[in-house]
Amino acid sequence: MDKCRLNGGELIIVRSGANTGDCAVVPMALSGSFAAYDLIVNINTTIALPEFVSAYMYTSFGSAQIDGVKNRAAQPHINSEEVKALEIPLPNLDMQRRLVAELDAARARREYALAEAERLLTSIDDLFKAELGLTDMEAPKQAGYAIRLSIAKSTNTLSADFFHPERMQAVRLIQSLTNSPLSQLVNFQRDIVKTPGDSRYIGLASVASGTGQLTDAIETAAGQCFAFQPGDVLYGRLRPYLNKVWLATFSGVCSTEFHVMRPFNPRKLRPEYLAVVMRTGLIVAQTKHMMTGNTHPRIANEDVTNLLVPLASETTQRKIVEATLARQAESARLQAHAETVWREAREYFEQQLLQGGKT
């Protein structure tokens, strides 16, 4: 195993699989760790910086070389001889340091913008509680808990986790407000479509956890789906703690792992408000203690229909929705800005390489 031991400062390259060719410089903090099946490259630091070589591998020039060798077999793969044969431009060390420093600065700006975008999205939960006058839930302090048998009988369940103090606290908070079970507020749409066809398909990987945003994942399906319309709320029932909730902005089809909810009366319960509610900690604190199944834990249909939802006046709902939309729009702007900063930095890196330097 000694040949796999890392000292820090090496370049580590993924040897096989979907991420073949991905690389990074091993931080000194990981000195003494093992690289397993990855390729370990010790760079001659008298002529090249490991950080510079790593950055180059992600340029169009570096990627083209990797792609040219890794796809020659059924399974993407690259070996040490192919890595040795890669052509690396070598400007002087001062220029390498400058280019790496500029990339690091751009990466820091990108990460700051993305962190701020994420903060805006996650702050919506606090906005919701503030508008409804709710206090923060306190983390349960007891190591164990008990309930009366009569309470268990009244709920038709003997699941211990169903009565977890966190869930009971969330229920009590909602009960302190005007509330209603979902079954009295929405129609659960189950319009089955045999195959997606040409319709846009939304799977669980298509919805980001906790934010209600669509991801870049492009998913397909061969079997049955549920149809949905703009304004429907898609709520993921598989592993509900992942908190995958999306307000549909177009028509399409989705995985049957979603509940497709359509409010009976949009004036009493705005779809946009429902989507915000279903992503809040109040709901997650309930649903994560209501799962059944070990390998693929889900929340039962009956438990979803009985979920208590805090209601609010039309004015308050509108205020929450407008503030949410504003934060989502600013978050999207920051995300776009972050990617622009990073793209321009990488383009500049490539332009500087084209201006000269031996290989």
Side-chain angles (χ1 to χ4, degrees):
M1 290 291 289
D2 278 347
K3 67 178 182 179
C4 299
R5 190 187 301 274
L6 300 169
N7 297 311
E10 304 98 333
L11 190 65
I12 189 168
I13 303 177
V14 177
R15 183 197 301 261
S16 183
N19 300 107
T20 297
D22 283 2
C23 65
V25 178
V26 178
M28 297 307 296
L30 291 182
S31 176
S33 301
F34 293 92
Y37 191 62
D38 297 315
L39 292 167
I40 306 170
V41 181
N42 288 293
I43 303 295
N44 180 354
T45 55
T46 63
I47 59 172
L49 301 177
E51 295 82 3
F52 172 81
V53 177
S54 176
Y56 170 76
M57 298 283 274
Y58 287 99
T59 65
S60 59
F61 316 122
S63 298
Q65 292 187 69
I66 294 291
D67 292 342
V69 294
K70 76 177 184 181
N71 294 322
R72 291 184 296 189
Q75 168 85 349
H77 182 85
I78 189 169
N79 60 43
S80 58
E81 294 303 316
E82 290 165 336
V83 170
K84 288 179 183 178
L86 295 174
E87 294 285 341
I88 310 295
L90 288 178
N92 62 56
L93 288 176
D94 286 341
M95 183 176 181
Q96 290 183 40
R97 292 189 186 93
R98 177 174 64 80
L99 292 177
V100 168
E102 289 170 348
L103 270 184
D104 286 345
R107 184 183 292 108
R109 293 197 299 274
R110 175 178 182 265
E111 291 176 353
Y112 177 82
L114 291 176
E116 182 63 13
E118 181 71 12
R119 186 197 66 77
L120 282 170
L121 293 176
T122 56
S123 69
I124 293 172
D125 196 73
D126 291 332
L127 163 73
F128 174 82
K129 289 185 292 186
E131 289 296 333
L132 268 62
L134 292 171
T135 58
D136 290 331
M137 290 191 295
E138 296 181 3
K141 297 178 181 178
Q142 65 267 46
Y145 52 94
I147 60 163
R148 294 184 179 276
L149 183 59
S150 58
I151 296 176
K153 288 181 177 179
S154 68
T155 58
N156 298 317
T157 181
L158 286 176
S159 169
D161 208 33
F162 187 85
F163 302 99
H164 192 282
E166 183 182 32
R167 179 183 172 277
M168 303 309 293
Q169 183 182 178
V171 170
R172 286 193 294 270
L173 283 173
I174 294 175
Q175 289 175 335
S176 70
L177 305 169
T178 303
N179 65 83
S180 179
L182 272 175
S183 59
Q184 297 180 17
L185 297 170
V186 304
N187 181 24
F188 288 86
Q189 301 292 316
R190 291 182 172 85
D191 299 329
I192 295 177
V193 177
K194 290 185 177 180
T195 60
D198 296 330
S199 300
R200 171 73 183 275
Y201 175 79
I202 301 297
L204 289 172
S206 301
V207 180
S209 295
T211 66
Q213 307 293 297
L214 289 184
T215 68
D216 295 329
I218 304 298
E219 300 184 88
T220 59
Q224 289 185 340
C225 313
F226 287 148
F228 62 82
Q229 299 176 5
D232 288 345
V233 176
L234 276 58
Y235 175 70
R237 68 190 187 99
L238 177 66
R239 296 187 176 91
Y241 54 83
L242 294 177
N243 199 13
K244 290 179 177 280
V245 184
W246 179 60
L247 175 67
T249 55
F250 53 80
S251 297
V253 296
C254 66
S255 165
T256 53
E257 292 293 353
F258 282 109
H259 286 289
V260 180
M261 300 184 291
R262 188 175 300 164
F264 291 129
N265 183 352
R267 294 195 63 182
K268 180 179 180 181
L269 179 67
R270 297 183 59 163
E272 304 93 336
Y273 173 80
L274 175 62
V276 174
V277 171
M278 296 301 293
R279 287 193 296 269
T280 62
L282 282 176
I283 299 299
V284 177
Q286 297 180 70
T287 57
K288 72 180 184 181
H289 298 296
M290 299 165 68
M291 299 180 296
T292 58
N294 295 323
T295 307
H296 297 97
R298 295 176 174 84
I299 181 170
N301 291 348
E302 180 183 356
D303 288 334
V304 174
T305 59
N306 290 329
L307 274 176
L308 287 183
V309 173
L311 299 176
S313 67
E314 187 176 354
T315 300
T316 300
Q317 288 189 40
R318 183 174 64 251
K319 188 175 181 180
I320 291 173
V321 168
E322 288 175 351
T324 296
L325 292 175
R327 296 189 188 194
Q328 288 175 335
E330 177 61 11
S331 175
R333 187 195 69 79
L334 285 168
Q335 291 176 49
H337 172 69
E339 298 313 318
T340 297
V341 166
W342 187 235
R343 186 188 68 254
E344 291 177 348
R346 294 179 66 175
E347 289 174 351
Y348 178 76
F349 184 93
E350 292 194 14
Q351 290 169 3
Q352 293 295 297
L353 294 182
L354 289 172
Q355 292 180 4
K358 60 182 179 179
T359 60

